Amino acid sequence: MSEKASEQQPNQSRRKFMKQSLTTLATTGLVVNPALTSGAFAASTELIKVGLVGCGGRGTGAAAQTLRADSNVELVALADAFGDQLEQSYQNLKKTEVQDRIKVDADHKFVGFDAFQKLIDSDVDLVILATPPHFRPQHLQACIDAGKHVFCEKPVAVDAPGIRSVLKTTAEAKKKNLTIVSGLCWRYETGMQEMVDKIHNGGIGDIIAMHSTRYLGGVAKMVKRKPEWSDMEYQMRNWYYYTWLSGDFNTEQFVHELDKQSWVMGEYPVRCYSTGGRQTRTGEDYGQIFDHFSTVYEYANGAKFVASTRHQLGCSSMFVDTVSGTEGTATLMKYQIEGKNPWKGARRRTNMHQLEHNEMYKALRNGEVINNGEYMANSSMMGIIARMSAYTGKTLTWEEAMNSKEDLSPEKYDMTMSLPEPKVATPGVTPFV
């Protein structure tokens, strides 16, 4: 990547540090530390052993990308709540061009709610976390406690206690010189880096307003319930449709747009008001999540970010991010600026999902650390605060939301347990906690 350091080194002057662009500060969180020895793999001949926690489609894809990123990486362990999903992932990976580096023995296939810990305790150096977002805070903490480097898929929590946990773990990872690379992949897309750098260097003047719209028909396949499944198993297999597991779709999917605009803005909002509901995804099969959200985020300098998303079949699709300033307008997805300083970037996107893995191993080989923890937590919180505002009908400050005591965790994790079907939120009735 073209943008590197995001933290001041002890021998770096404050003047030099402050001259770095906001793009540099916000992109990778990479720290150069030549004295780093623990957890580094400076020699390209040194094998890096990887474990995958969460063997769904995204996890399987991330595992293949991590193997493509470095020729001396092996996948040596798999963990998932469900054995059938784990085995399907394993078989799919064995069909890829990196199959010769899939070295997962039978005793390194871990199943169940405690599978993540068994994998962490095995002989792995780096862990890919790709379970439903609910489990990310617990799994990330366990990885950092055990001294493992992490590739962490988005989003990283579903409630404020989870976000606070991730921020605490992020700080601990910094102390231990451990890498945390986020699956918020737009920050690794080279064209978007150039686009955001233009904005940060005055391409549109001072930012006045931002706008993001992402309208789709739907993204998640529903799994039909089998008679032998418990409530817990059914909800886990249909995790996208349950807020306690996904955070609702504006947190799980729309987080990419929230993160892009947060990157552009260089800060997070002071308050938020949002609305949403269910108009087409109303059946019991759709769990409790909404099918549309519309949110306004307000910033300390008076700027506003209007963000809307929906999943409704038969409607027009739309995908746009714009940033308006005192001297022009940037259309992020077109890599274009119109106004006083017109600019047009490359039209073809790079493979950002692959680039984030490439940069992770490049850093590890160079004795460097990437820590994306702060922005991945705060951008995830952007989705959570909007959901809480829409569910309750309340205008919320960032401080109120961050200090929320709402913990969406079940009483325990047991695949045989009964689990009441969560209620669909009713604005004005559902309380803010």
Side-chain angles (χ1 to χ4, degrees), residues 1 26-29 58 62 65 129 136 150-157 163 166 180-190 192-193 214 250-263 268 351-357 370 372-383:
M1 295 174 68
T27 303
T28 63
R58 181 77 286 270
Q65 287 153 355
L129 297 180
R136 202 84 74 243
V150 178
F151 177 83
C152 189
E153 260 304 340
K154 58 78 190 170
V156 296
I163 294 294
V166 169
I180 300 176
V181 169
S182 169
L184 289 168
C185 49
W186 280 104
R187 299 217 186 198
Y188 287 84
E189 205 283 311
T190 55
M192 195 59 68
Q193 289 176 356
R214 189 168 188 175
N250 76 307
T251 303
E252 203 285 329
Q253 174 256 329
F254 197 53
V255 66
H256 282 298
E257 281 60 61
L258 303 178
D259 181 60
K260 270 183 285 185
Q261 297 287 28
S262 296
W263 177 18
Y268 290 88
N351 187 345
M352 53 192 179
H353 289 93
Q354 185 62 55
L355 287 175
E356 54 195 358
H357 291 269
I370 298 176
N372 299 154
E374 290 182 3
Y375 77 67
M376 73 183 190
N378 286 311
S379 292
S380 296
M381 190 64 201
M382 289 277 285

Side-chain angles (χ1 to χ4, degrees), residues 186 192 195 199 210-214 254 256-261 264 305-308 318-324 329-336:
W186 280 104
M192 195 59 68
M195 173 82 263
I199 297 172
M210 299 176 291
H211 165 236
S212 289
T213 296
R214 189 168 188 175
F254 197 53
H256 282 298
E257 281 60 61
L258 303 178
D259 181 60
K260 270 183 285 185
Q261 297 287 28
V264 168
F305 171 27
V306 179
S308 60
M318 184 178 294
F319 189 10
V320 62
D321 300 297
T322 61
V323 185
S324 298
T329 297
T331 305
L332 301 187
M333 299 301 292
K334 291 183 178 180
Y335 307 97
Q336 180 176 328

Side-chain angles (χ1 to χ4, degrees), residues 140-155:
L140 181 63
Q141 181 181 344
C143 287
I144 300 306
D145 285 350
K148 310 298 182 182
H149 299 292
V150 178
F151 177 83
C152 189
E153 260 304 340
K154 58 78 190 170

Side-chain angles (χ1 to χ4, degrees), residues 14-77:
R14 176 172 175 79
R15 179 179 297 176
K16 182 178 179 182
F17 178 65
M18 293 306 293
K19 283 184 178 179
Q20 295 178 2
S21 74
L22 284 174
T23 301
T24 300
L25 293 174
T27 303
T28 63
L30 189 148
V31 181
V32 179
N33 189 348
L36 180 62
T37 56
S38 175
F41 304 88
S44 61
T45 56
E46 189 173 355
L47 178 65
I48 300 177
K49 297 180 180 180
V50 175
L52 168 63
V53 179
C55 297
R58 181 77 286 270
T60 303
Q65 287 153 355
T66 220
L67 293 172
R68 295 184 187 111
D70 189 292
S71 61
N72 208 16
V73 170
E74 291 181 356
L75 183 69
V76 300

Side-chain angles (χ1 to χ4, degrees), residues 95-401:
K95 297 174 184 176
T96 66
E97 79 280 8
V98 292
Q99 60 183 281
D100 60 318
R101 288 186 283 127
I102 310 294
K103 303 289 184 66
V104 185
D105 297 331
D107 61 356
H108 278 63
K109 294 179 178 179
F110 305 109
V111 176
F113 281 117
D114 62 350
F116 76 98
Q117 191 64 60
K118 292 177 180 178
L119 180 143
I120 292 169
D121 292 340
S122 69
D123 187 21
V124 296
D125 304 304
L126 185 147
V127 181
I128 298 172
L129 297 180
T131 62
H134 168 80
F135 299 99
R136 202 84 74 243
Q138 178 190 19
H139 292 178
L140 181 63
Q141 181 181 344
C143 287
I144 300 306
D145 285 350
K148 310 298 182 182
H149 299 292
V150 178
F151 177 83
C152 189
E153 260 304 340
K154 58 78 190 170
V156 296
V158 298
D159 51 32
I163 294 294
R164 296 194 296 267
S165 171
V166 169
L167 288 170
K168 183 178 179 180
T169 300
T170 293
E172 188 62 25
K174 289 181 180 180
K175 294 178 185 177
K176 292 185 173 184
N177 287 320
L178 291 171
T179 283
I180 300 176
V181 169
S182 169
L184 289 168
C185 49
W186 280 104
R187 299 217 186 198
Y188 287 84
E189 205 283 311
T190 55
M192 195 59 68
Q193 289 176 356
E194 188 177 7
M195 173 82 263
V196 175
D197 193 55
K198 292 287 184 183
I199 297 172
H200 286 170
N201 283 288
I204 61 171
D206 296 330
I207 295 174
I208 299 170
M210 299 176 291
H211 165 236
S212 289
T213 296
R214 189 168 188 175
Y215 292 160
L216 297 171
V219 296
K221 181 180 178 180
M222 288 184 293
V223 179
K224 187 175 181 180
R225 185 164 187 166
K226 294 182 179 180
E228 65 270 24
W229 287 355
S230 66
D231 296 334
M232 175 64 83
E233 179 162 359
Y234 174 70
Q235 291 187 25
M236 285 280 291
R237 289 187 181 273
N238 285 279
W239 63 271
Y240 194 88
Y241 296 99
Y242 291 91
T243 303
W244 76 271
L245 285 161
S246 70
D248 212 315
F249 85 99
N250 76 307
T251 303
E252 203 285 329
Q253 174 256 329
F254 197 53
V255 66
H256 282 298
E257 281 60 61
L258 303 178
D259 181 60
K260 270 183 285 185
Q261 297 287 28
S262 296
W263 177 18
V264 168
M265 193 64 188
E267 61 183 277
Y268 290 88
V270 295
R271 69 178 55 83
C272 158
Y273 47 95
S274 184
T275 188
R278 289 159 62 105
Q279 293 177 319
T280 61
R281 293 198 298 207
T282 57
E284 292 183 1
D285 289 346
Y286 292 106
Q288 69 183 123
I289 66 170
F290 283 6
D291 60 18
H292 65 281
F293 286 88
S294 182
T295 306
V296 178
Y297 300 94
E298 296 182 346
Y299 292 81
N301 67 351
K304 290 181 172 62
F305 171 27
V306 179
S308 60
T309 184
R310 74 181 178 203
H311 283 170
Q312 295 177 338
L313 293 172
C315 300
S316 298
S317 295
M318 184 178 294
F319 189 10
V320 62
D321 300 297
T322 61
V323 185
S324 298
T326 54
E327 296 181 352
T329 297
T331 305
L332 301 187
M333 299 301 292
K334 291 183 178 180
Y335 307 97
Q336 180 176 328
I337 290 176
E338 296 174 298
K340 184 178 179 181
N341 305 297
W343 173 80
K344 179 67 175 176
R347 296 186 63 182
R348 179 175 293 181
R349 286 209 313 251
T350 51
N351 187 345
M352 53 192 179
H353 289 93
Q354 185 62 55
L355 287 175
E356 54 195 358
H357 291 269
N358 295 353
E359 292 302 319
M360 178 171 65
Y361 290 105
K362 181 180 177 181
L364 288 171
R365 295 299 187 189
N366 289 332
E368 301 165 352
V369 176
I370 298 176
N371 191 320
N372 299 154
E374 290 182 3
Y375 77 67
M376 73 183 190
N378 286 311
S379 292
S380 296
M381 190 64 201
M382 289 277 285
I384 293 169
I385 186 176
R387 183 201 71 227
M388 291 193 294
S389 177
Y391 277 18
T392 64
K394 306 297 184 183
T395 298
L396 300 174
T397 67
W398 186 261
E399 183 178 7
E400 286 173 333

